[in-house]
Amino acid sequence: MTGKMNPVSVDIIGDIALVTIANPPVNALSQTVRAGLLDTIENIDKNRSILAAVLICDGRTFIAGADITEFDKPSIEPHLPDLIDRLECSTKPWVAAIHGNALGGGLEVALGCHYRIADFSSKLGFPEVKLGLIPGAGGTVRLPRIVDSVNAVSLVAGGKPIKAQLAAEWGLVDLLVEDNLKRDALNFAQQIASLPLPEPASKRPLINKLTADDWEAVLSPVSNKAHGQIAPVRAAETIRNAVEKPADEAFAAERNLFSELKNSDQSRALRYLFFAEKSASKISGSSSVDFMPVELVGVIGGGTMGTGIVTALLLSNHSVIMIERDETALEKGKATVLSYLQNSLKRGLINAAKHARLITSLTGSIKYKALANADLVIEAVYEDMDMKLDVFSKLDTVMKPDAILATNTSYLDVKRIAASTKIPARVVGLHFFSPAHIMKLLEIIRTDSVTAEVLSSCFLFAKRLGKIAIPAGVCEGFIGNRIMSAYRRECEYMLEDGALPQEIDDAMVAFGFPMGIFAMQDLAGLDIAWAMRKRQAATRNSNTRYVAIADRLCEMGRFGRKTGSGWYRYDNTTDTVVEKIILQESALKGIQRKSISAEEIIERILNTMRNEGSKILAEKIANRSEDIDVVMVNGYGFPRWRGGPMFTGKNLIP
Ligand code: T1G
């Protein structure tokens, strides 16, 4: 190994070789790691005094996969499939000692080893489909020779890692260890060193075969859930290949498909988003900036947003004080939070001990003075500026001088709220998305007066919550809501021009959105936007095209699902009202309606998103076009495998 430091080292302990990979931060299988590992395998095979080898990793995790940063560069030998083929043909038994995550190529390397042991806290998986890929180094061929084919499909097509205990139940892990992985791995290697060398996985018989009906039952849920994504379906088919074809043919088929997917638009988009999200959550601000510790957090309001935020805070081990206007509202809010925590316990997201501890971390009060020691307070009351100003005037009197004051407003002027307080430098917007304990997106809204220390502390706080935090400047709707308002307007223009709500919603779902803009408004309720439009009516620019269709629906009390009808009826009766109103509004404006194709609908929506995104960049509301894509994918249902509105513009994906 010349040039770069060899990230693979070997210690000889008795007659066992302890092979350690040290390639921070996640021991990705870069070219130097692959080359170092290949040299090591050759050397150990030649060394007659070595009876077995343990493969372990430094740092916080086992190998987390191939080095994704190499995918857009020419592939350099040794190629991973060849390395793993060589590993499994080693004349000495290899034991993979897994901690942290064994993912993608990392799990494939572990499958190339003869044994796998793991500590309880580790996870194993094939997340490649999240990058628009499939395992490309033999994993789909070896896996069904180690675990049941149905489990193999769920692991490879689902992309969700499994805990070590389940992996052991499946037979993917041979031994679970508690607290000293290295010691136990060396002992395990000593025990198996004298045993006959196990058959390489790729030469082993299949664990089970499935009938054609079995495969139908296994594969159809995968395609039903794919929503236009290619990789999950192809991944499942690859497992079927591996089960039904000879191993050599299956290896070749896997390799070909991997290369095809690696060059696909979907994979390029998903890899773009992976890095866009990682770089977005980097703590912005220079290293010289101090961070204010945030442990005790106040939340004003126990409604939908407030209870979601409180739950997110508790799940990230903060202590929380919920403030409500009276005892009844407070008890209702706390009950909602407890129901969320109970649900997390039921879903196995937290264990009983953590559940009990979190409950004790929640207190409540109807008195603002209970917040005297809070490090941060998040206002989550009704979207009314006067109400918010009143809250902040009270907070001003009780909060300690170095506490951060945050508003969860989704579009109101954070600058005006900051200016109303004694210390505007500590006021910031933290725009959570509902449900706040589930949605990963958080827009952090900066004003001209907020300090770098407050902002950086908010980014650190967001990372602890497990949120993807995107910085935004102050404008109506910040990044996501502003773009949504723009394309919602464009969709309403299309209603007047000739389309119907169902046609627009169908085009959006076909493009990959989970639901169309009109179905989404019915879910959220039409009344909030109506109230906002009425407030803005007096100052609305009369030269700007205004569509009154939604107003007509609201005037009829059609606020969406919650009233049984909105853009659609929800009582299984035929609805002619909406189309009649649309035709009337088109006629009132003298518009000659013409049908609009699904392609044109999507084109007009994407162009509107990109145009608004360009304005948001020009106004420095968003720092990067990647941030706009991260917002639209993580907060507004834009299909991940298309990268985002700005990405589609750059890469002209159809
Ligand atoms: N390659 C290169 N860089 C990676 C990486 C990878 N596989 N995984 C993470 N990083 C970087 C990441 O960008 C960040 O960089 C830093 O490591 C810390 O990551 C051949 C084809 C492992 C669960 O999809 O899921 O193998 O910002 O902040 O929160 O068949 O990283 O510090 O500069 O996310 O502790 C399959 C992707 C690849 C795993 C750790 N593997 N990674 O989470 O840290 S394809 C994956 C993750 C493959 C084979 C196939 C997570 C993590 P920076 P982080 P974390």
Side-chain angles (χ1 to χ4, degrees):
M1 291 290 301
T2 54
K4 291 178 188 162
M5 202 272 281
N6 185 349
V8 181
S9 60
V10 184
D11 297 296
I12 306 299
I13 299 161
D15 43 22
I16 307 296
L18 178 65
V19 180
T20 304
I21 295 174
N23 184 30
V26 295
N27 293 310
L29 286 158
S30 62
Q31 193 278 336
T32 49
V33 169
R34 300 196 304 272
L37 210 41
L38 183 61
D39 288 350
T40 304
I41 296 167
E42 300 294 354
N43 295 337
I44 288 174
D45 267 5
K46 290 174 200 153
N47 187 330
R48 300 165 67 83
S49 66
I50 295 175
L51 301 181
V54 169
L55 177 63
I56 199 163
C57 289
D58 258 356
R60 59 188 166 154
T61 179
F62 189 72
I63 305 165
D67 185 337
I68 308 173
T69 62
E70 291 183 354
F71 284 177
D72 294 320
K73 302 168 194 162
S75 177
I76 305 173
E77 292 183 339
H79 302 307
L80 189 55
D82 303 332
L83 170 68
I84 299 174
D85 288 349
R86 179 65 187 82
L87 172 61
E88 78 166 1
C89 297
S90 167
T91 58
K92 315 291 175 64
W94 280 70
V95 179
I98 297 167
H99 73 294
N101 292 285
L103 300 176
L107 182 49
E108 290 179 296
V109 166
L111 293 179
C113 293
H114 303 82
Y115 300 93
R116 284 155 295 283
I117 78 170
D119 76 19
F120 265 99
S121 62
S122 58
K123 288 186 178 175
L124 301 86
F126 284 116
E128 284 88 336
V129 289
K130 292 180 183 172
L131 298 172
L133 301 167
I134 63 167
T140 64
V141 181
R142 294 185 175 92
L143 191 61
R145 290 167 169 77
I146 294 174
V147 306
D148 168 287
S149 300
V150 177
N151 292 339
V153 170
S154 72
L155 199 58
V156 172
K160 192 168 178 298
I162 59 173
K163 291 181 179 171
Q165 263 180 296
L166 181 59
E169 286 165 24
W170 285 10
L172 186 55
V173 161
D174 302 297
L175 175 70
L176 284 174
V177 296
E178 193 67 56
D179 55 4
N180 192 323
L181 178 67
K182 187 185 292 187
R183 178 203 62 203
D184 295 345
L186 289 167
N187 291 340
F188 183 88
Q190 200 62 59
Q191 289 160 22
I192 56 97
S194 52
L195 299 179
L197 196 63
E199 188 81 33
S202 60
K203 306 269 186 296
R204 292 183 198 173
L206 293 160
I207 298 297
N208 64 335
K209 280 216 171 215
L210 302 179
T211 65
D213 290 347
D214 292 337
W215 279 114
E216 176 55 29
V218 169
L219 298 181
S220 55
V222 172
S223 47
N224 295 341
K225 275 175 61 182
H227 299 304
Q229 289 191 75
I230 303 164
V233 178
R234 305 307 297 275
E237 288 166 1
T238 308
I239 296 289
R240 182 171 190 174
N241 259 348
V243 169
E244 295 185 341
K245 291 182 173 174
D248 289 352
E249 277 183 50
F251 274 125
E254 176 201 82
R255 200 75 205 138
N256 292 337
L257 179 55
F258 172 77
S259 302
E260 178 195 323
L261 290 174
K262 190 173 83 163
N263 297 314
S264 69
D265 288 337
Q266 289 196 9
S267 183
R268 277 214 311 274
L270 288 165
R271 297 194 314 257
Y272 157 80
L273 267 182
F274 174 83
F275 288 112
E277 289 169 347
K278 294 296 171 198
S279 53
S281 57
K282 274 189 186 314
I283 311 285
S284 66
S286 66
S287 54
S288 63
V289 167
D290 295 328
F291 296 106
M292 300 147 81
V294 176
E295 289 302 335
L296 177 61
V297 184
V299 175
I300 315 294
T304 305
M305 287 311 296
T307 51
I309 293 168
V310 167
T311 305
L313 291 166
L314 291 170
L315 289 170
S316 51
N317 303 314
H318 290 89
S319 298
V320 184
I321 305 172
M322 182 193 286
I323 300 288
E324 255 293 359
R325 61 185 178 284
D326 58 46
E327 290 298 344
T328 308
L330 181 60
E331 285 319 305
K332 185 167 179 280
K334 286 170 77 173
T336 303
V337 171
L338 295 180
S339 69
Y340 289 157
L341 292 179
Q342 184 59 34
N343 191 32
S344 298
L345 174 66
K346 208 161 57 180
R347 290 171 58 208
L349 301 177
I350 54 175
N351 61 29
K354 178 162 182 176
H355 178 253
R357 183 165 49 75
L358 296 188
I359 290 172
T360 61
S361 303
L362 172 60
T363 55
S365 176
I366 61 172
K367 304 249 186 273
Y368 277 64
K369 66 182 180 188
L371 299 174
N373 297 320
D375 305 311
L376 163 68
V377 65
I378 302 170
E379 167 271 310
V381 300
Y382 187 67
E383 279 295 79
D384 175 89
M385 182 56 89
D386 293 340
M387 201 179 279
K388 291 183 187 300
L389 293 175
D390 177 53
V391 166
F392 276 82
S393 67
K394 289 176 185 156
L395 293 174
D396 245 357
T397 60
V398 301
M399 301 298 294
K400 59 186 184 183
D402 60 350
I404 299 172
L405 309 188
T407 171
N408 172 57
T409 184
S410 54
Y411 66 91
L412 293 176
D413 185 350
V414 180
K415 283 181 191 165
R416 187 172 161 206
I417 294 172
S420 74
T421 65
K422 282 185 288 195
I423 316 174
R426 66 175 180 170
V427 178
V428 68
L430 291 179
H431 177 212
F432 288 84
F433 288 76
S434 185
H437 59 299
I438 292 171
M439 295 290 280
K440 288 183 75 67
L441 183 63
L442 176 67
E443 285 179 320
I444 297 184
I445 316 305
R446 60 176 180 270
T447 66
D448 306 339
S449 49
V450 74
T451 63
E453 182 188 32
V454 164
L455 271 185
S456 296
S457 303
C458 288
F459 277 91
L460 198 58
F461 164 72
K463 195 165 179 79
R464 180 170 162 184
L465 259 65
K467 299 293 184 187
I468 298 172
I470 298 293
V474 175
C475 69
E476 181 148 331
F478 315 132
I479 297 172
N481 277 348
R482 173 167 164 179
I483 289 177
M484 187 173 75
S485 297
Y487 87 80
R488 180 184 50 72
R489 274 195 305 275
E490 186 63 23
C491 290
E492 291 182 355
Y493 294 160
M494 286 193 269
L495 292 182
E496 282 190 338
D497 294 347
L500 292 175
Q502 195 64 61
E503 292 167 340
I504 292 173
D505 281 1
D506 288 350
M508 287 184 71
V509 170
F511 181 76
F513 283 88
M515 65 170 66
I517 185 77
F518 296 109
M520 192 171 68
Q521 288 177 61
D522 273 357
L523 199 58
L526 275 61
D527 44 334
I528 296 170
W530 186 39
M532 192 169 71
R533 291 197 301 272
K534 285 192 287 187
R535 261 200 307 280
Q536 293 164 343
T539 55
R540 185 176 299 126
N541 179 345
S542 57
N543 298 325
T544 308
R545 182 177 178 182
Y546 180 77
V547 179
I549 298 167
D551 296 347
R552 297 294 86 76
L553 294 177
C554 291
E555 286 153 10
M556 298 165 70
R558 290 179 63 130
F559 293 147
R561 283 177 179 272
K562 60 188 175 186
T563 56
S565 67
W567 289 103
Y568 301 102
R569 287 198 76 85
Y570 296 93
D571 56 6
N572 297 324
T573 59
T574 311
D575 187 22
T576 57
V577 170
V578 172
E579 186 168 349
K580 197 167 153 215
I581 291 173
I582 291 170
L583 296 177
Q584 280 168 353
E585 291 300 314
S586 299
L588 272 176
K589 293 192 177 169
I591 293 171
Q592 187 61 42
R593 290 175 65 81
K594 62 174 181 54
S595 70
I596 305 176
S597 69
E599 290 72 24
E600 187 182 347
I601 288 170
I602 291 302
E603 188 60 30
R604 283 178 63 169
I605 289 174
L606 289 182
N607 282 337
T608 304
M609 288 181 167
R610 292 176 198 136
N611 293 339
E612 202 63 33
S614 303
K615 289 178 199 164
I616 286 171
L617 288 169
E619 295 167 29
K620 300 198 182 325
I621 298 294
N623 299 340
R624 317 175 307 166
S625 62
E626 290 87 342
D627 287 354
I628 294 171
D629 286 335
V630 169
V631 165
M632 295 314 289
V633 162
N634 286 287
Y636 295 82
F638 197 97
R640 281 190 75 82
W641 44 273
R642 293 190 185 268
M646 308 310 277
F647 180 84
T648 51
K650 283 185 215 142
N651 295 276
L652 302 177
I653 291 181

